[in-house]
């Protein structure tokens, strides 16, 4: 039955009109992903009004293709400029950018796009096979389970992130403080605004990321003497084929990243924590873990695989339950309702052509996407050859435009500059930026899930332990938090000499 449905889907997705719609979506999405501040959700929101006259299946194919394009595009600026075009591209900068500086931008981009393809393909296959079953599992998730997953994400950073666990913890706490600025949505009280009206809406994550990474990196480059090292990136078909020969040796990272991404894709904002968690696991289990952050290919493979697996998986709860798994999926959900479709389990019965057309278009869109971005890699790699004196003002302008575009507000440009200084100071003091960014993204979600859980249990923390799913996840999170203390003790017990962990800049 499932196979017949998929054939029906392909007969819809492979029509010339739907294929051309997918191609346009991918090209537009890649451009949107490259521009910091725009992002997949904004791109989908801007294009949504154009889809109202289209058939619903073609409309959703256009929007999902734009989403895949944005996922691919986010890796381009991360690797070439250390400016994450998308939140989930932050972890890709850790090794992608050092590789580009060493003249391996072509390899890094090829690895990123190929990993993206593998992660997405893995998720699409699982969606095809398990959509109805997974819908039932997701129904069992309440606020306690969501909070437990957030806790696991943070604890994996402290326990598995390498580097100094205390610095990671400080970074996370600072991120939580910044995330709590503004209006408390439960009580309606103002928090840490100090009478400044502009602080009521808090700090936008995109603005913070553009400042911390984009402006922070420019300040470091200026200090280092106005030059991009390794600006020439030899990029051609030979480089692509050579990189493809190396990639199979990271099969474990591909499998682990795909599973992490798919699992994390259910919950809102899943792609960003999935990329960070996959990177942390890869660093922990890689024999070359100490080289992570200095230009290690596996450090590009891990986050990109997980981010795309999660990005695709986020579509699943939207069509099966009507619960969007990402901001972009939330915008698409609005589209479904406007097109007169009711998202949820009944959609499979009532509109099989729409559901299976969408699932089949994920296969075609993903193949088209990787071919398109690989074809244009030489164009993106050539950007590095522009002299630094011309490039720096251009990057600052793009960052400023991206920050301004988030709320059409001048104050965001000032926030961007302040975060740029914070990013510079963090890098100079060797504090990791990733946990700060993660806490800034997930702070509100984690706080809301915690408070909803405590309201449900009338203030008892026992709710996280007595519910089986959240209990298991919380136990795992606590184990990760204690890992930096348990590891030296375990080594002493086994008589293994202590290995000094190199401090990580990320």
């Amino acid at each position: 039955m499932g196979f017949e449905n998929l054939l029906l889907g392909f007969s819809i997705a492979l029509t010339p009109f739907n294929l051309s719609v997918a191609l346009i979506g991918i090209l537009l999405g890649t451009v949107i992903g490259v521009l910091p501040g725009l992002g997949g959700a904004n791109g989908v929101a801007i294009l949504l009004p154009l889809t109202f006259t289209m058939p619903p299946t073609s409309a959703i194919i256009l929007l999902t293709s734009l989403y895949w394009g944005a996922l691919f595009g986010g890796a381009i600026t991360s690797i070439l400029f250390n400016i994450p075009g998308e939140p989930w591209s932050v972890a890709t900068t850790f090794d992608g950018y050092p590789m580009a500086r060493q003249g391996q931008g072509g390899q890094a981009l090829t690895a990123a796009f190929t990993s993206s393809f593998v992660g997405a393909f893995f998720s699409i296959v699982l969606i095809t096979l398990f959509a109805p079953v997974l819908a039932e599992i997701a129904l069992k998730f309440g606020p306690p389970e969501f909070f437990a997953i957030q806790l696991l994400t943070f604890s994996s950073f402290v326990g598995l992130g390498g580097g100094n666990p205390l610095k990671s913890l400080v970074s996370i706490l600072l991120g939580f403080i910044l995330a709590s600025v503004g209006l408390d949505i439960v009580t309606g009280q103002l928090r840490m605004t100090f009478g400044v009206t502009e602080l009521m809406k808090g700090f936008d994550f995109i603005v913070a990321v553009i400042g911390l990474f984009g402006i922070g990196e420019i300040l470091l480059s200026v200090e280092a003497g106005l030059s991009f090292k390794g600006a020439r990136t030899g990029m051609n078909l030979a480089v692509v084929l050579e990189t493809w020969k190396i990639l199979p040796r990271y099969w474990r990272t591909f499998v682990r990243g795909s599973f992490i991404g798919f699992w994390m894709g259910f919950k809102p904002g899943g792609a960003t924590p999935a990329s960070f968690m996959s990177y942390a696991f890869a660093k922990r289990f890689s024999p070359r873990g100490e080289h992570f952050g200095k230009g290690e290919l596996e450090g590009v493979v891990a986050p990109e695989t997980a981010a795309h697996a999660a990005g695709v998986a986020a579509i699943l709860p939207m069509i099966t339950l009507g619960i969007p798994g990402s901001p972009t999926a939330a915008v698409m959900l609005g589209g479904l309702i406007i097109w007169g479709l009711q998202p949820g389990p009944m959609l499979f019965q009532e509109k099989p052509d729409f559901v299976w057309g969408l699932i089949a278009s994920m296969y075609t869109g993903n193949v088209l996407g990787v071919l398109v971005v690989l074809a244009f890699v030489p164009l993106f790699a050539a950007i590095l050859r522009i002299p630094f004196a011309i490039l720096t003002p251009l990057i600052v302008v793009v960052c400023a435009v991206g920050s301004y575009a988030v709320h059409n507000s001048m104050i965001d440009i000032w926030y961007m500059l302040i975060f740029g200084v914070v990013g510079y100071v963090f890098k100079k003091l060797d504090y990791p930026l990733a946990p700060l960014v993660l806490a800034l993204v997930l702070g509100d979600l984690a706080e809301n899930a915690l408070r909803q859980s405590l309201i449900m249990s009338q203030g008892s923390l026992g709710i996280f332990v007595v519910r089986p799913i959240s209990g298991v996840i919380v136990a795992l999170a606590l184990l990760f938090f204690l890992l930096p203390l348990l590891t030296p003790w375990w080594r002493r017990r086994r008589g293994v000499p202590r290995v000094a962990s190199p401090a990580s800049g990320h």
Side-chain angles (χ1 to χ4, degrees):
M1 185 66 193
F3 187 64
E4 283 169 23
N5 284 333
L6 195 58
L7 284 178
L8 164 73
F10 275 115
S11 70
I12 295 163
L14 292 173
T15 59
F17 179 70
N18 284 345
L19 273 177
S20 55
V21 160
L23 189 62
I24 292 165
I26 283 156
L27 288 168
L28 282 172
T30 308
V31 173
I32 284 164
V34 165
L35 296 172
L38 262 179
N42 290 351
V44 169
I46 292 163
L47 275 191
L48 193 60
L50 301 178
T51 65
F52 296 162
T53 54
M54 297 170 73
T57 311
S58 301
I60 196 81
I61 287 173
L62 175 68
L63 298 184
T64 49
S65 299
L66 186 128
Y67 184 31
W68 311 149
L71 280 162
F72 281 118
I76 295 163
T77 45
S78 299
I79 288 168
L80 297 185
F81 297 118
N82 204 36
I83 300 170
E86 293 284 359
W88 50 80
S89 308
V90 172
T92 309
T93 60
F94 302 159
D95 284 276
Y97 183 62
M99 282 184 74
R101 293 284 295 267
Q102 293 158 24
Q104 296 178 312
Q107 286 94 315
L109 285 168
T110 306
F113 298 147
T114 311
S115 307
S116 307
F117 175 79
V118 171
F121 192 78
F122 178 89
S123 264
I124 300 163
V125 170
L126 284 190
I127 286 176
T128 311
L129 297 173
F130 300 120
V133 185
L134 291 167
E136 283 178 32
I137 295 172
L139 278 171
K140 296 189 173 78
F141 266 54
E145 284 75 22
F146 280 125
F147 177 72
I149 289 239
Q150 315 280 16
L151 192 66
L152 181 67
T153 307
F154 292 116
S155 66
S156 67
F157 238 88
V158 174
L160 302 174
N164 187 327
L166 206 57
K167 284 184 174 179
S168 296
L169 203 55
V170 168
S171 198
I172 287 173
L173 292 173
L174 188 61
F176 277 139
I177 291 167
L178 291 171
S180 62
V181 172
L183 203 63
D184 178 350
I185 63 161
V186 176
T187 63
Q189 299 288 315
L190 289 174
R191 299 190 296 198
M192 290 190 284
T193 54
F194 308 108
V196 181
T197 317
E198 283 83 3
L199 284 174
M200 278 175 64
K201 67 176 190 284
F203 299 110
D204 192 277
F205 167 72
I206 295 285
V207 176
V209 165
I210 291 172
L212 288 168
F213 289 90
I215 304 297
E217 186 56 42
I218 283 169
L219 290 173
L220 279 175
S221 300
V222 169
E223 184 191 39
L226 292 171
S227 69
F228 270 138
K229 296 183 186 73
R232 294 198 169 272
T233 305
M235 183 64 213
N236 49 42
L237 186 63
V239 171
V240 174
L241 296 174
E242 196 57 44
T243 312
W244 279 349
K245 273 187 208 161
I246 299 166
L247 288 176
R249 71 176 69 154
Y250 301 123
W251 66 271
R252 283 188 188 85
T253 312
F254 279 119
V255 172
R256 187 170 54 233
S258 298
F259 272 112
I260 290 171
F262 187 77
W263 175 244
M264 299 293 275
F266 285 133
K267 64 188 197 65
T272 307
S275 64
F276 283 126
M277 194 184 272
S278 180
Y279 183 86
F281 271 97
K283 183 174 180 178
R284 183 77 180 183
F285 295 117
S286 170
R288 293 176 55 81
E290 72 275 9
H291 294 281
F292 273 54
K294 297 172 188 169
E296 185 65 26
L297 197 63
E298 194 176 355
V300 175
V301 169
E304 283 294 312
T305 307
H308 279 243
V312 173
I315 304 287
L316 176 61
M318 180 192 79
I319 53 172
T320 54
L321 298 170
I323 300 169
S326 72
T328 315
V331 179
M332 287 183 199
L333 187 71
L336 290 186
I337 293 161
I338 291 165
W339 303 324
L341 300 172
Q342 185 55 52
M346 293 307 291
L347 197 61
F348 281 79
Q349 271 78 45
E350 292 167 4
K351 295 278 182 184
D353 53 340
F354 174 83
V355 173
W356 291 100
L358 168 60
I359 290 173
S361 79
M362 291 179 178
Y363 287 96
T364 54
N366 203 22
V367 173
L368 271 177
V370 81
L371 293 175
V372 166
V373 286
L374 279 173
F376 287 108
V377 158
L379 184 69
F380 302 129
I383 296 168
L384 273 180
R385 295 182 192 152
I386 300 168
F388 187 85
I390 297 169
L391 210 51
T392 306
L394 280 176
I395 294 173
V396 173
V397 167
V398 169
C399 287
V401 169
S403 299
Y404 183 80
V406 177
H407 297 296
N408 294 337
S409 165
M410 188 64 203
I411 191 80
D412 284 332
I413 295 181
W414 291 109
Y415 288 159
M416 173 195 81
L417 294 172
I418 292 164
F419 276 112
V421 174
V422 171
Y424 170 78
V425 171
F426 260 55
K427 285 177 179 177
K428 294 298 279 184
L429 297 178
D430 203 25
Y431 271 76
L433 276 176
L436 168 74
V437 169
L438 193 66
L440 201 55
V441 184
L442 297 180
D444 286 346
L445 294 170
E447 184 191 0
N448 292 344
L450 173 65
R451 291 170 78 167
Q452 285 168 353
S453 306
L454 292 177
I455 289 167
M456 284 166 63
S457 68
Q458 297 176 335
S460 167
L461 287 170
I463 191 168
F464 298 111
V465 185
V466 294
R467 289 165 72 111
I469 299 174
S470 64
V472 170
I473 299 171
V474 165
L476 198 57
L478 291 173
L479 175 69
F480 284 169
F481 267 125
L482 295 172
L483 210 55
L485 297 172
L486 293 173
T487 309
W489 171 80
W490 179 247
R491 284 179 188 279
R492 277 200 303 276
R493 274 207 60 178
R494 293 178 59 203
V496 179
R498 189 178 176 279
V499 182
S501 169
S504 166
H506 308 291

